[in-house]
Amino acid sequence: MIFAKDLTKEFPIFKRGKGFPGVFFIKERSKFTAVKSLDLSIEKGEFVAFLGPNGAGKTTTLKMLSGVLHPTEGEISVNGFVPYERKKQFKRDISFVMAQKTQLFLELPVKDTFTFIGEIYDVPKSEYDKRISHMIERFDLGDKLETLGRKLSLGQRMKCELVCALIYQPKVLFLDEPTIGLDINSAKEVRNFLTEINKEFGVTILLTTHNMSDVEELCNRTIVINKGEKVFDGSTSELKKLFGTKREIEFVVENPKQLIAQLQSNKDIVIMNSTESSVRISCERSGASKIIAEIMNQVEVLDINFYDADLADIVGKLYRQV
């Protein structure tokens, strides 16, 4: 479905002279490599997180995959088409939602944008009405249809952007920060809807986000890039295991103060917090079993709860290692 080999994108940089007339002449020429020898292989129906710090090359890659940018080098294919050729069927097969750009006509009511998109993609009226009514109800946009695009809040706009992207049921969906600006309930609703279209219609989705809740709830696979190069490609659970070396364990006990006193001399343990009935510690994942056995030999443990490392911390650690 999505394939790239040795995908590279370079941007020219021109440095001009100072003063007059130097400002009119190019003094130096150089280039900036935004994406370097990137390989991708994503199958139909996959829901993949595409992560990286700011400036890593995520949006540049999505623009090449969607045909907005022409790669400097490498092979690229999306659903059997070469994106930068911009063939009509290719444009019907993909949709691209960007947090920084809008598909909405800012001086027209939202419903007019929906109608326009349905018309240019030749969506049959019966199908259009069915899809629109479903999405409007799902995103609670009924009272916003007459609102001008420029008067929408960021969260409302992102919901409308998703409606625009899905009116014609694309086969591939590129999402750039789809839950930005949404409150907790709205973000949850968007995630549920994306999961639904992924499973029901087999839409292949490539998601860039800085919200790790999106990744954990939506994506079984995660690709991480940094400085234009791929640094990780595997399951999201594998990412947590490889780079989440710490594990937090909560012990429910009758006398937390006694347990804390016994643990304070153990250099392999960090006491995170405690309550009237529990103590939560952090330790190396590899030594967790030994520590649990030692504690259970020392005090009566009523219950044990395990907590994996936060995915945001893990991804941040991976960024810093590269």
Side-chain angles (χ1 to χ4, degrees), residues 39-297:
D39 292 341
L40 292 174
S41 181
I42 299 172
E43 299 297 326
K44 179 181 179 181
E46 280 196 276
F47 202 138
V48 181
F50 191 51
L51 308 181
N54 291 332
K58 304 185 301 297
T59 301
T60 299
T61 301
L62 292 188
K63 286 182 176 180
M64 287 190 285
L65 292 173
S66 60
V68 176
L69 290 177
H70 193 297
T72 305
E73 296 178 8
E75 302 175 33
I76 187 170
S77 171
V78 176
N79 199 33
F81 295 95
V82 177
Y84 54 80
E85 293 179 351
R86 303 289 291 169
K87 292 185 177 179
K88 184 176 180 179
Q89 186 58 49
F90 168 76
K91 290 185 282 187
R92 293 182 66 93
D93 286 348
I94 70 159
S95 194
F96 192 177
V97 177
M98 298 181 67
Q100 312 96 314
K101 303 289 183 180
T102 182
Q103 303 174 70
L104 299 171
F105 293 107
L106 299 182
E107 299 299 329
L108 292 177
V110 168
K111 68 174 185 178
D112 289 354
T113 299
F114 295 162
T115 302
F116 176 77
I117 291 176
E119 289 291 333
I120 64 173
Y121 283 96
D122 295 323
V123 181
K125 190 175 186 308
S126 59
E127 286 295 318
Y128 172 83
D129 291 340
K130 180 180 177 182
R131 294 171 192 170
I132 283 292
S133 61
H134 175 61
M135 288 189 284
I136 287 173
E137 180 181 357
R138 191 66 182 269
F139 291 145
D140 192 25
L141 291 171
D143 61 344
K144 301 299 179 185
L145 296 179
E146 299 293 340
T147 304
L148 298 184
R150 63 181 171 83
K151 291 188 175 182
L152 295 172
S153 68
L154 178 58
Q156 292 164 352
R157 182 175 72 79
M158 287 309 300
K159 291 180 181 180
C160 291
E161 297 288 353
L162 281 171
V163 173
C164 292
L166 297 168
I167 286 173
Y168 54 97
Q169 285 193 347
K171 296 178 181 177
V172 181
L173 182 58
F174 300 113
L175 298 175
D176 189 6
E177 300 282 0
T179 58
I180 190 171
L182 300 182
D183 58 50
I184 293 174
N185 292 330
S186 296
K188 183 71 174 177
E189 193 60 42
V190 167
R191 292 187 199 112
N192 290 340
F193 184 69
L194 292 174
T195 299
E196 179 183 304
I197 64 168
N198 173 248
K199 291 181 178 179
E200 184 175 347
F201 301 108
V203 178
T204 304
I205 303 176
L206 189 59
L207 165 75
T208 73
T209 183
H210 291 289
N211 186 345
M212 293 301 107
S213 295
D214 292 346
V215 179
E216 292 190 275
E217 292 189 32
L218 295 172
C219 307
N220 292 324
R221 180 180 169 193
T222 297
I223 298 172
V224 182
I225 67 170
N226 199 4
K227 299 178 183 177
E229 299 183 83
K230 184 166 64 175
V231 295
F232 177 84
D233 186 353
S235 69
T236 304
S237 58
E238 181 186 355
L239 175 63
K240 297 180 77 170
K241 289 179 182 178
L242 284 175
F243 297 95
T245 59
K246 298 288 186 180
R247 192 166 202 188
E248 293 187 10
I249 309 169
E250 181 184 55
F251 294 91
V252 180
V253 295
E254 290 185 352
N255 191 341
K257 290 183 179 179
Q258 178 189 355
L259 178 56
I260 291 173
Q262 293 174 338
L263 295 178
Q264 284 178 338
S265 61
N266 192 329
K267 296 181 179 179
D268 296 327
I269 294 173
V270 176
I271 299 173
M272 305 300 291
N273 56 59
S274 63
T275 66
E276 294 180 355
S277 60
S278 67
V279 177
R280 185 161 170 169
I281 68 167
S282 174
C283 64
E284 292 292 331
R285 182 182 292 272
S286 58
S289 298
K290 180 182 177 182
I291 290 171
I292 292 171
E294 290 176 353
I295 291 176
M296 294 188 72
N297 286 332

